[in-house]
Amino acid sequence: MLRAAVPLFACLLAAACARGDENAIDVAVIGDPVDLSASGLRLAPPGELVRAATTQGLVRLDEAGQIVPAIAERWIVTDDGMSYIFRIRELDLAGGKRLTARRAQQALRSAMASLSGTSLGLDLAQVRDVRAMTGRVIEIRLKSPMPGFLQLLAQPELGITVDGTPTGPMATITAQPGGPLLLRALPPEARGLPTSPGWAEEVRAVRLFAGEAGALTRRFLDGDFAVLLGGTLATLPLADTGPLARGTVRIDPALGLFGLDVLRAEGFLSEVANREALALVLDREALIQPFNLAGWTATTRVVAPGLPDDPGLAAERWQGMDLAARRSLAASRIARWKAANGGRLELRLRLPQGPGSDLLFAALAEQYRTVGIVLTRSEGEDRADLGLRDRVARYAGARWFLNQFACRTSAAICSEDVDLLAQLAVQTRDPVQQARYLADAETAFTATNGFIPIGAPIRWSLVRSGVQGFAENAHAAHPLFPLTAAPM
């Protein structure tokens, strides 16, 4: 990270430095404070926030989750959707170097190569080549059209770093181990934009804290923070701030995966029909009812319904079969297994810690009890049979969902046949055939019953009235840079 000693990033304008941080907006994120200064590929939410703020890619996400220019000032997409051409900003880096298309190309190629072996690396498999065409123009060519490709490019892991120097739009000014991080927006000229007189008086710094959910929520209620980020279902009950604070809880219409992984295909779970029984039992809406969420979407599909590349070839499961019939079928399979295997069926479930997880476990245990399954909570390093998968999608594409279960990256049940179908979808240029491959892959993976979908992931924030630069969105992305705008 850059420190105040780097002239470009710390005090380009004397007035901005003179103000200190008294105008900073205080933002908290649920997570370990150590993660604020973490590096590497797999970052926790605090590290992702800082990476996205200090190291932008060709494009980035704004507060509404929309694609906006970053290193690239503009771009075009060819009619066949196979080529993305970006024009790089005129941007001087620390040490007097200029950001050229060649430097950006090398940085992007390096970032992509480093992601090999990760699910994000699988998402990037659709990239054929990254070329520097002229001094300020980069072309990215794809193997086949990819809806959501720009959202993929906006991920923090694809930020442009040149010779160890990040590219903004913010810089770390102060950092104390275990303490808050002070970040300040770079001046327009340091971001490849025209100089703006009086700019320093129009922005504020962001003071970023990290910590345990309960403690941060109490501090928010005490007025210590303007924004609290990083809430999940596990911590949602902490967001009940009462009628006097109505309107501060902000729920994202998040897109992604929320359900149970089958972690061990042993015993009862070794049979596909038995794993299906676990999915048949669930009353998904009833599981979330204790949380009083309006508009939450339940699903029995692995791939979220209604995606831009969803041709409607895959449907919700067990249509026309009511809950009573589903549970009767599941109970008969469970009874047969118990009769042949000692008369008791106990499964252990791994969940994150938190009051929301406690409520979810109680609801799951009650529903499974009705069909003769004893569900217990896996503690510590105990071997669990089932585990909660709770992830927000990087982009709105079926391949993201399927890549989460690829044999190369998933610790749960996987299928090489599904991986092959997903790879065939990458290779074909025909959008109709691509959609068929993806639908076939979803159907094939669904048939393994290695994942029990529940519905959309749940993400929440606490935001004080009047805060600018925050909006709910399907990516649950809440970048720090928009929060630097001074209030009216």
Side-chain angles (χ1 to χ4, degrees), residues 64-330:
Q66 300 298 310
I67 295 295
V68 295
I71 296 302
E73 61 184 4
R74 59 183 182 270
W75 57 88
I76 60 172
V77 184
T78 55
D79 290 341
D80 60 4
M82 301 279 286
S83 177
Y84 290 70
I85 301 170
F86 301 86
R87 185 170 181 82
I88 304 301
R89 296 187 188 277
E90 293 191 50
L91 180 60
D92 290 326
L93 304 171
K97 294 180 180 179
R98 171 151 292 215
L99 180 63
T100 63
R102 176 69 64 187
R103 287 193 172 110
Q105 173 217 29
Q106 292 171 345
L108 191 56
R109 279 183 171 177
S110 177
M112 289 181 175
S114 71
L115 293 165
S116 177
T118 69
S119 59
L120 184 53
L122 294 177
D123 296 332
L124 291 165
Q126 217 146 333
V127 174
R128 181 184 298 276
D129 192 20
V130 182
R131 298 193 307 159
M133 299 177 66
T134 67
R136 291 177 55 198
V137 177
I138 283 181
E139 180 188 23
I140 300 179
R141 292 188 291 184
L142 304 182
K143 298 173 183 176
S144 57
M146 183 179 180
F149 179 63
L150 288 174
Q151 282 81 7
L152 185 60
L153 281 184
Q155 300 307 308
E157 292 88 342
L158 295 177
I160 302 296
T161 298
V162 179
D163 295 335
T165 301
T167 48
M170 302 181 75
T172 301
I173 304 303
T174 60
Q176 298 178 352
L181 203 64
L182 185 68
L183 301 104
R184 198 181 299 279
L186 298 178
E189 59 269 30
R191 292 183 274 120
L193 299 172
T195 300
S196 176
W199 168 86
E201 301 304 321
E202 299 173 357
V203 297
R204 58 188 175 186
V206 172
R207 191 161 37 224
L208 182 63
F209 298 75
E212 186 268 331
L216 293 183
T217 303
R218 289 190 293 272
R219 292 188 62 185
F220 178 89
L221 297 177
D222 288 340
D224 289 349
F225 307 124
V227 179
L228 171 59
L229 304 173
T232 66
L233 184 79
T235 54
L236 182 57
L238 299 173
D240 183 7
T241 55
L244 295 180
R246 184 171 298 171
T248 60
V249 182
R250 311 283 285 270
I251 306 293
D252 288 300
L255 184 71
L257 288 164
F258 183 77
L260 304 180
D261 281 328
V262 177
L263 301 177
R264 295 194 297 153
E266 302 173 6
F268 176 79
L269 298 176
S270 64
E271 299 179 27
V272 171
N274 291 344
R275 298 197 294 265
E276 183 190 27
L278 297 182
L280 283 163
V281 169
L282 295 185
D283 181 345
R284 289 159 174 80
E285 288 81 2
L287 290 175
I288 304 301
Q289 189 173 9
F291 299 93
N292 193 30
L293 288 175
W296 177 78
T297 303
T299 186
T300 58
R301 290 184 56 185
V302 174
V303 176
L307 297 179
D309 59 347
D310 183 358
L313 299 177
E316 296 289 337
R317 304 182 75 182
W318 314 299
Q319 295 187 56
M321 189 177 188
D322 64 20
L323 180 61
R326 298 204 318 262
R327 286 186 170 175
S328 176
L329 177 59

